[in-house]
Amino acid sequence: MNTIQRIALLLTIIGAINWGLIGLFQFDLVAALFGGGEQSGAFARIIYTLVGISGLITISLYFSHAAEHHEARTADSTE
């Protein structure tokens, strides 16, 4: 896993935690920290955008892991 993928995974986890806080407590941590409590804050919007892009990047991690797992199972079954 390269550095960009690690950063993307970290941002995706932060986004998931933020959505969990929104769902459970109606508290938007990103907006509270970076946007003054509003989702329309400029810096908060940048964070939301980075989290969204990170989610797209981490999709590739899912499929690369699935491909590695499939290759390992195929190699084990041919031996």
Side-chain angles (χ1 to χ4, degrees):
M1 188 179 323
N2 66 33
T3 303
I4 291 176
Q5 290 173 327
R6 288 181 189 271
I7 292 169
L9 185 58
L10 176 65
L11 286 172
T12 302
I13 292 167
I14 290 169
I17 291 168
N18 192 55
W19 275 110
L21 289 171
I22 291 170
L24 293 171
F25 306 111
Q26 296 180 356
F27 178 71
D28 188 339
L29 181 63
V30 172
L33 292 175
F34 302 111
E38 299 178 15
Q39 291 182 357
S40 61
F43 198 64
R45 290 187 63 183
I46 291 169
I47 299 296
Y48 294 133
T49 302
L50 290 174
V51 169
I53 292 168
S54 296
L56 295 174
I57 291 171
T58 57
I59 290 172
S60 68
L61 295 176
Y62 174 77
F63 287 110
S64 66
H65 178 70
E68 290 172 8
H69 182 69
H70 176 71
E71 290 172 6
R73 290 185 69 196
T74 304
D76 288 343
S77 65
T78 59
E79 293 178 359

